[in-house]
Amino acid sequence: MQSCEKPQIEPQPRRAPRVSYRAAEAAALLAEAGTLALFGFGAGAPASTDPRYLPVALETLDASAPLELWQVDAPVSCGSDGALCWSAGGGWLFASIELDEHQHGGPIAAARLAYEQLHRFVATRDERHVQRVWNYLGAINQGEGDAERYKHFCDGRAAGMGDFFAEGFPAATAIGHHGDPHRLQVYLLACDQGGLRVENPRQVSAWRYPRQYGRTPPSFARAMVLPAHDALAISGTAAVVGHASAHQDNLDAQLAETLTNLEALLSSAGMAAGFDARSPLKTYVRHAADAERVREFLQHRLPGVPLLLLHGDICRRELLVEIDGWRYA
Ligand code: 3EB
């Protein structure tokens, strides 16, 4: 008897969105083919009601104040649902939510609600594999010990996510902005195919951090290989070795350690070493006065790499700088 095997239908590979920093008018970038998301930074960011556009509360430390653009190879549709905005195309989904903590019972309740609402929305979509999340909250280091606002954010995030990340945590960033301290912004990139989570062998996985870093360990993977294996989405990466912060009060040493961690992630993901002109990196700098030194250091060590410098507080007080970004294969 002949076996009658079903012809195997290969799922279409989902080419990674292309991320770039662009000095152009927001309207022109939104009108380009395949624009999935666009980000402005700080008080001077352009205004637009397009659901694909998110004005991020972090101030830019670059004189040129560029916009960040995500593009896919397909037509994009978009919409909004209360505080949640979304866009989708080519198997990719961008979703963002902005909440005022005052209107939602404080930082824990607001983080919980943000994650509940994102979860509820993503669950209605084919693009339910969350690859990458960004969290921007105000006054992140205010409060002592378990009462620090970052710790409250971690509590609320864990309470709100439920089984959102049952297949594993996405890559993430959590940074403090200097805008309205009660403004919480969370946005994500999801796909209809799953990625591969990557950890850093030099670091304890964040969800295994010991109790001294808070009741609720941070829930993120160090990086995510996107579904077509054509890009690595890199989480917020700082001078953390093991679980400890390294090089207190030493900016250059923290930068060097951060670059070592970034290289460790590339190696862990099985990618060639180094960053290039297609692989944008975003650098969060705690003290605006350090921006020039940070730029000089990174331009020297990462020549040709597109850099965006933002004024942001890292979730541990002793950390002066953190870098996240993309590496295309
Ligand atoms: C660290 O390595 C730095 O809470 O989502 C980096 C990336 C950090 C994401 C998060 C926190 C988060 O632990 C802090």
Side-chain angles (χ1 to χ4, degrees):
M1 206 171 90
Q2 242 185 332
S3 75
C4 112
E5 255 176 58
K6 264 197 186 162
Q8 197 150 354
I9 299 162
E10 287 290 326
Q12 216 183 325
R14 299 307 195 181
R15 190 177 159 210
R18 288 168 307 291
V19 176
S20 59
Y21 303 138
R22 298 273 292 269
E25 292 291 324
L29 296 173
L30 289 166
E32 283 187 15
T35 293
L36 183 72
L38 183 69
F39 305 88
F41 300 94
S48 165
T49 56
D50 191 305
R52 298 171 298 166
Y53 176 67
L54 182 68
V56 166
L58 295 158
E59 290 295 331
T60 172
L61 295 168
D62 296 297
S64 60
L67 298 168
E68 178 179 347
L69 178 66
W70 295 2
Q71 289 184 310
V72 295
D73 301 315
V76 171
S77 54
C78 62
S80 62
D81 181 1
L84 190 147
C85 294
W86 62 272
S87 60
W92 295 97
L93 173 72
F94 166 67
S96 72
I97 190 163
E98 174 157 335
L99 296 176
D100 180 346
E101 293 174 5
H102 277 322
Q103 287 172 20
H104 299 285
I108 303 179
R112 185 173 61 221
L113 185 63
Y115 273 80
E116 282 170 354
Q117 293 204 357
L118 287 166
H119 183 194
R120 190 177 315 150
F121 175 71
V122 171
T124 68
R125 305 281 317 181
D126 290 335
E127 308 91 342
R128 66 198 155 72
H129 302 280
V130 181
Q131 315 279 323
R132 186 67 177 87
V133 184
W134 289 259
N135 307 278
Y136 296 135
L137 56 150
I140 196 169
N141 299 130
Q142 198 182 89
E144 296 304 317
D146 287 347
E148 187 183 30
R149 280 171 49 85
Y150 172 63
K151 312 286 180 23
H152 282 170
F153 166 77
C154 287
D155 295 342
R157 170 171 58 179
M161 68 173 63
D163 64 355
F164 199 1
F165 307 129
E167 65 182 29
F169 294 129
T173 295
I175 287 287
H177 65 71
H178 295 262
D180 173 351
H182 304 285
R183 184 174 174 202
L184 172 66
Q185 300 184 302
V186 182
Y187 66 92
L188 61 80
L189 174 69
C191 186
D192 61 2
Q193 297 170 3
L196 292 175
R197 272 153 275 277
V198 173
E199 290 300 303
N200 181 344
R202 305 181 77 239
Q203 298 180 316
V204 173
S205 290
W207 65 86
R208 296 205 176 103
Y209 279 173
R211 176 64 180 88
Q212 71 200 82
Y213 301 102
R215 270 186 306 267
T216 312
S219 28
F220 66 98
R222 296 292 178 186
M224 183 78 87
V225 178
L226 298 189
H229 294 208
D230 54 347
L232 185 68
I234 302 171
S235 291
T237 302
V240 172
V241 180
H243 58 70
S245 305
H247 316 299
Q248 194 149 356
D249 301 323
N250 186 337
L251 179 66
D252 280 20
Q254 288 195 17
L255 281 164
E257 198 73 66
T258 300
L259 295 189
T260 303
N261 279 329
L262 291 173
E263 285 297 340
L265 286 171
L266 297 183
S267 158
S268 196
M271 297 178 97
F275 289 83
D276 58 33
R278 292 181 310 139
S279 301
L281 295 177
K282 196 178 282 170
T283 304
Y284 306 93
V285 181
R286 179 179 294 279
H287 303 299
D290 286 343
E292 274 322 302
R293 176 61 195 150
V294 169
R295 194 190 322 275
E296 192 179 79
F297 187 103
L298 294 176
Q299 282 177 348
H300 176 69
R301 289 281 303 269
L302 303 170
V305 173
L307 299 173
L308 189 66
L309 263 62
L310 296 173
H311 189 201
D313 291 336
I314 294 82
C315 60
R316 296 184 187 188
R317 286 168 205 202
E318 64 278 12
L319 294 175
L320 301 170
V321 65
E322 183 170 303
I323 297 178
D324 71 23
W326 307 86
R327 205 346 256 285
Y328 291 85

